[in-house]
Amino acid sequence: MAGGVKKPVNIFKLKDLNEPKGVFNWRLWFAVVSFGLLGAARGVDEGLINGAFNSKTFQASINYNDYEDTEKANIKANVSAMVQVGSVAGALIAFLVCDRIGRVWATRQLCLLWILGIAIFMGHGNSLGAVYAGRFIAGLGVGQTPVVGPVYIAEIAPASVRGLCTCVFTGCVYVGILLAYFANYGAQINLGDTTAERWLAPTSLHIIFAGLIFVLTFLQSESPRFLIKQGKHEEALRTMAHIRQLPPDHEYVVREIAEVRAAHEEEMEAVMGSSWTGVLKEMFLIPNNAYRLYLALTVQLLSQWSGAGSITLYAVDLFALLGITGTNESLLASAVFGIVKFVAALLCALFLVDVIGRKRALLVGITLQAIAVIYIAAFLTAVPKLGIDDDYKLPRAEVAASRGAIAMIFISGFGWALGWNSMQYLLTAELFPLRIRALSTSLAMTLHFANQYGNSRAVPVLLLPAQLGGITPKGTFWFFSAITVLGGVWVWFFVPETAGRSLESMNRLFELPWHQIGRHGNDDADRLDEALNEKNTRAFVGEAEHIDDVGAKRPQGEVRV
């Protein structure tokens, strides 16, 4: 079909999709995993930094206890958020690197930046400035990962399993979080909090992942779609055949490359050339591209301010706030929280995103998240002194409700992993035409990290009492609740379903007026698919009849060459 496979996908029965034998092969999965591991960059940092910062030896190394309470909150927020600051710049330059040197070399250079920054952070020499500098440089590398990874995966994956493949990146975010949580917990239990190894050992996870990904890139091929954009058509054909494990002259490979070339040439003709002004015109002046950019940017805005990212980052503190006492217990609860989100991401990748579609999976996740944060906000409203008055003891009558709020933290994480966190990468990577894909994804991820920075920087202050400039814990969670509900309404009205479509057929979702795309774009795209299929069929039949007529008129024995 012109638009690609649209029937539900059972990933355990891929042979039933009628794709050629060899398409779903080890090379594809190896490439997906190699670039999917880039997701661990963000996950490792989110899972590690709060536990590492709470280490007494780390705090002693920067003389943390010499500061006032408000200054402490600001320092903690700055250290936690400095990777996001660097990531804003990293995401902004990612499109330049990605489009100039390719997806593979872009991955290599970001790994080197990542390693350099973490090395400076680990060897900061009791300097808070060095801590900030190291985490900023690491952010320059980490910020490029959600541009390079999902774009490469989306460009090599068959349309029928593109959601599954791109969700490997999201799953690796949780692999990173999970390993980071347990590394913190294991270091606290086995090393104690009297040695620098308590935070140095878990932090080395950064270098392990960056080094592994760097090595794996030397075993991978460049994206065929990038090669076409560079005019290297023969190399693109050979690379696509290699990834699909089919001969270069196989109909499936030839058709796929032909569609990519045709779409790219159409883009070039539509904007009259390849200059930067042409690219910007294509992004902002072509209505369906402008709508796609609106979708990608709004997804980042609403997802980050729904609060789930902050809950991950400050999980240890929030579990303590809601009634889990003791450092070891909070770290263990955080580790279990990581398991819950990893399982949710796995379920989304295997059974939702390519089965019920992106939009329904997103709405399911947002619904769970909304229920959870509203419950937590209501609980904190019922016990307003919790987290405000250090001498306040939770009454026995509220203990059960406190446990319910703790359970809702897990449900919130489950919903986040099913919904926003899986879709914010997948939708951004698959929405855009080839020529503006890297730039558009880069802009979306710049907003992603800018909001993530603002959110992580703001939350420690928001949780403070009103007299210290905060809005209290209850106010913070009511704010998260409002944004989460708003996000669900927005998705329902404005986001179309992209599952099963080839990247080159995505245009057809955006032909209607902007206010009709979310609710009726898919029906209109299906109608356009049918019209195009019918046109192609008539053209094929006409060509075949022409050949038959010529053959009938040719004298017997004449051979056509």
Side-chain angles (χ1 to χ4, degrees), residues 535-548:
K535 178 181 177 182
N536 290 340
T537 301
R538 285 200 306 266
F540 177 79
V541 171
E543 182 179 350
E545 290 175 350
H546 174 71
I547 292 172
D548 288 343

Side-chain angles (χ1 to χ4, degrees), residues 248-485:
D249 58 353
H250 192 283
E251 179 189 1
Y252 185 91
V253 175
V254 172
R255 184 176 68 249
E256 190 169 10
I257 290 294
E259 288 176 357
V260 177
R261 286 187 62 178
H264 181 54
E265 289 166 4
E266 182 180 342
E267 292 167 31
M268 295 290 287
E269 291 173 4
V271 293
M272 303 297 292
S274 58
S275 66
W276 281 109
T277 55
V279 172
L280 293 175
K281 287 179 181 177
E282 186 173 356
M283 284 180 62
F284 295 106
L285 299 184
I286 295 178
N288 63 22
N289 286 343
Y291 189 87
R292 287 185 251 198
L293 191 61
Y294 153 73
L295 288 180
L297 296 180
T298 308
V299 162
Q300 303 305 329
L301 187 67
L302 292 174
S303 63
Q304 288 304 313
W305 288 99
S306 70
S310 298
I311 292 173
T312 299
L313 193 61
Y314 298 111
V316 175
D317 297 330
L318 292 173
F319 280 124
L321 170 69
L322 294 174
I324 294 181
T325 57
T327 302
N328 294 351
E329 288 77 7
S330 292
L331 286 170
L332 180 59
S334 299
V336 176
F337 185 48
I339 293 176
V340 168
K341 293 205 287 187
F342 174 69
V343 169
L346 202 62
L347 290 174
C348 183
L350 296 180
F351 303 110
L352 292 181
V353 71
D354 281 321
V355 178
I356 67 172
R358 281 64 154 152
K359 186 169 183 173
R360 289 178 182 172
L362 182 52
L363 288 171
V364 169
I366 289 174
T367 301
L368 291 174
Q369 193 179 337
I371 291 170
V373 291
I374 289 171
Y375 179 95
I376 296 169
F379 167 71
L380 291 171
T381 302
V383 284
K385 291 184 178 180
L386 192 63
I388 300 297
D389 185 349
D390 292 338
D391 297 324
Y392 179 76
K393 300 295 182 184
L394 193 69
R396 292 179 62 86
E398 302 290 349
V399 170
S402 170
R403 290 173 179 167
I406 292 167
M408 287 299 167
I409 289 283
F410 291 100
I411 292 174
S412 170
F414 192 88
W416 165 253
L418 280 182
W420 280 128
N421 200 47
S422 294
M423 300 307 155
Q424 64 180 336
Y425 302 115
L426 175 55
L427 287 175
T428 302
E430 67 183 5
L431 281 176
F432 298 101
L434 176 60
R435 208 163 78 90
I436 65 169
R437 186 172 300 141
L439 175 57
S440 301
T441 305
S442 187
L443 286 177
M445 288 300 117
T446 299
L447 184 64
H448 168 92
F449 284 113
N451 281 282
Q452 193 176 55
Y453 165 73
N455 193 272
S456 60
R457 180 67 182 78
V459 165
V461 179
L462 291 177
L463 290 169
L464 292 173
Q467 60 268 29
L468 294 178
I471 61 172
T472 72
K474 69 176 182 181
T476 302
F477 274 89
W478 279 121
F479 172 73
F480 291 157
S481 300
I483 297 297
T484 303
V485 172

Side-chain angles (χ1 to χ4, degrees), residues 19-43:
E19 303 277 19
K21 184 178 180 181
V23 169
F24 305 113
N25 61 80
W26 69 270
R27 287 176 185 152
L28 172 66
W29 303 123
F30 182 43
V32 167
V33 171
S34 297
F35 281 83
L37 283 172
L38 287 167
R42 198 192 109 200

